[in-house]
Amino acid sequence: MGLFTKHSNYESDHTKFIKDLKEKTPGMDQRQVEGRSLLWDKSPTSLDEQRRIAESRLRQQAYPYQTKV
């Protein structure tokens, strides 16, 4: 007897909640994909843009709390 065959009909409370939520709110999957694209799916930047960003970055000293004497 395998590990997963004994309790193959088991569904956790979290899984039941998510399934119920998706049934009650149609279009939730599409809104989730749109929200993800706003935050994470960015268009690639050109090489000139990457160079400009790298050049405009300020260098921080190794230990920022030490005063220069």
Side-chain angles (χ1 to χ4, degrees):
M1 178 184 284
L3 180 64
F4 298 108
T5 56
K6 185 176 181 181
H7 300 289
S8 62
N9 295 331
Y10 173 75
E11 234 179 42
S12 70
D13 292 336
H14 299 293
T15 304
K16 290 176 186 176
F17 172 76
I18 295 296
K19 282 185 179 180
D20 188 40
L21 182 66
K22 286 183 177 184
E23 288 175 4
K24 288 181 181 177
T25 54
M28 187 171 124
D29 291 332
Q30 181 62 30
R31 288 193 307 272
Q32 186 178 10
V33 169
E34 290 169 1
R36 176 200 157 88
S37 68
L38 285 175
L39 296 174
W40 298 105
D41 299 338
K42 303 292 183 187
S43 59
T45 57
S46 66
L47 292 176
D48 291 332
E49 182 73 13
Q50 290 177 13
R51 182 189 49 76
R52 188 188 66 75
I53 291 171
E55 287 175 354
S56 66
R57 215 173 253 138
L58 293 176
R59 298 290 300 171
Q60 183 178 1
Q61 59 185 4
Y63 187 69
Y65 303 108
Q66 180 178 1
T67 57
K68 293 183 178 183
V69 179

